[in-house]
Amino acid sequence: DAKTTQPNSMESNEEEPVHLPCNHSTISGTDYIHWYRQLPSQGPEYVIHGLTSNVNNRMASLAIAEDRKSSTLILHRATLRDAAVYYCILRDVGPPAQGLVKAAGNKLTFGGGTRVLVKP
Amino acid sequence: DSGVTQTPKHLITATGQRVTLRCSPRSGDLSVYWYQQSLDQGLQFLIQYYNGEERAKGNILERFSAQQFPDLHSELNLSSLELGDSALYFCASSVGRASSGANVLTFGAGSRLTVL
């Protein structure tokens, strides 16, 4: 899997936006950019994903650089409940199935992530 | 509630013992993934099954094995347990093809294993 680089930690004030950067300079053309977060004592939770265009959902926005070598997860108004470790992950589309040859699976490889602290 | 059910939530056992962790995927999901999270290792991918067949393998020890049953639930078997196997074990599921970069994983709440 191509590697991602994220800052170890970031702090934000409540109600303010949070911009979480991720560098992935070795990204391939078929890699999707995924973001997950893990709240304390919980399993990881899907946040957002994209391939080339910027994406928005109810949780966050994902801004992808034109060359796709970096991306930024944007939490528009941080709340105390957003305090978590945020993981930026690249996920390949995987090999195509050919006839009776089954497509191999593909794993989601987590790095160290960015620990976000939200201050009231 | 994510829809992925893991049992037991907590398990305490002794070294050398064997345990089985169980996972029921979200309704309609065909893929099941197992991850191990220990304090010093982060989230480590163990293995993936798709519709009953193994599709991807990660850093899974030979003492560990898994399978996915016809009803799509999965079990992770850990044997000859060592102190270092103490960790959180997460199961995740996804719908769709075994290999797709767009597949989104839904994780369960985890099973916390303590080996004494």
Side-chain angles (χ1 to χ4, degrees):
Chain A
D1 295 328
K3 189 174 169 56
T4 63
T5 304
Q6 299 178 252
N8 288 336
S9 62
M10 290 188 74
E11 285 189 4
S12 173
N13 294 317
E14 202 175 8
E15 304 287 312
E16 289 184 357
V18 182
H19 291 241
L20 301 176
C22 180
N23 287 319
H24 28 79
S25 58
T26 59
I27 191 170
S28 75
T30 53
D31 281 334
Y32 280 80
I33 302 161
H34 285 248
W35 284 82
Y36 284 73
R37 71 179 186 181
Q38 188 173 19
L39 279 65
S41 303
Q42 294 188 27
E45 173 187 35
Y46 166 77
V47 177
I48 201 166
H49 78 283
L51 185 60
T52 56
S53 304
N54 294 345
V55 185
N56 299 296
N57 66 21
R58 64 174 180 81
M59 288 181 71
S61 295
L62 175 60
I64 301 173
E66 202 167 321
D67 63 5
R68 300 207 330 124
K69 293 184 185 300
S70 65
S71 60
T72 302
L73 179 71
I74 303 164
L75 308 178
H76 294 288
R77 290 180 64 200
T79 69
L80 296 178
R81 288 175 295 178
D82 291 322
V85 179
Y86 287 77
Y87 297 96
C88 169
I89 304 159
L90 300 183
R91 196 146 193 246
D92 197 344
V93 68
Q98 296 176 353
L100 294 177
V101 175
K102 294 170 187 156
N106 62 339
K107 58 197 181 199
L108 208 62
T109 302
F110 288 81
T114 298
R115 183 173 297 278
V116 172
L117 173 65
V118 181
K119 296 181 289 184
Chain B
D1 182 5
S2 67
V4 177
T5 304
Q6 290 189 248
T7 57
K9 288 190 175 5
H10 302 276
L11 190 56
I12 301 173
T13 189
T15 54
Q17 296 298 304
R18 172 191 169 95
V19 298
T20 297
L21 308 180
R22 182 188 167 101
C23 170
S24 294
R26 268 190 341 163
S27 176
D29 285 359
L30 298 178
S31 275
V32 170
Y33 306 75
W34 285 98
Y35 283 82
Q36 178 193 55
Q37 186 172 38
S38 53
L39 279 175
D40 57 348
Q41 290 287 325
L43 274 157
Q44 299 289 317
F45 169 74
L46 296 178
I47 198 163
Q48 177 206 1
Y49 282 84
Y50 175 77
N51 205 21
E53 297 188 11
E54 181 185 310
R55 289 301 179 88
K57 210 164 187 176
N59 302 320
I60 187 166
L61 300 172
E62 284 190 13
R63 299 183 285 108
F64 296 179
S65 65
Q67 59 185 128
Q68 186 179 27
F69 295 86
D71 66 352
L72 300 178
H73 91 271
S74 177
E75 292 181 356
L76 179 66
N77 300 297
L78 315 175
S79 61
S80 303
L81 284 168
E82 302 174 0
L83 295 178
D85 297 328
S86 295
L88 268 167
Y89 291 84
F90 288 105
C91 170
S93 70
S94 71
V95 69
R97 294 190 293 122
S99 62
S100 169
N103 267 352
V104 169
L105 270 61
T106 302
F107 284 79
S111 292
R112 181 176 294 279
L113 173 67
T114 303
V115 182
L116 301 176

